[in-house]
Amino acid sequence: MPTKLKRLSIYLEPEVKDVIETMATDEQRSLANMISVLITEALTNRGITPTKKGKS
């Protein structure tokens, strides 16, 4: 199924990946979804609200 979401490749220390995998498992999420949630939370904590293009 096509998606409009953008792909991002990152490198993580093994220990960081292990922690995020554990969090994902605990929340019944995929690793990719857990990382997306963490990024969104980090942006929110910094007072940044991403806006979708074409929305006003």
Side-chain angles (χ1 to χ4, degrees):
M1 172 182 258
T3 180
K4 292 182 180 182
L5 299 177
K6 300 296 182 182
R7 182 181 299 257
L8 175 67
S9 297
I10 62 171
Y11 293 95
L12 297 172
E13 293 291 335
E15 300 83 4
V16 173
K17 183 176 180 265
D18 290 345
V19 169
I20 297 171
E21 283 180 327
T22 299
M23 293 172 69
T25 299
D26 290 347
E27 295 188 21
Q28 298 181 344
R29 299 178 182 272
S30 67
L31 179 60
N33 180 258
M34 188 75 245
I35 291 169
S36 179
V37 167
L38 291 172
I39 291 170
T40 301
E41 287 177 356
L43 291 172
T44 300
N45 288 339
R46 290 176 180 237
I48 301 168
T49 305
T51 57
K52 294 184 179 185
K53 292 181 181 178
K55 301 280 182 175
S56 37

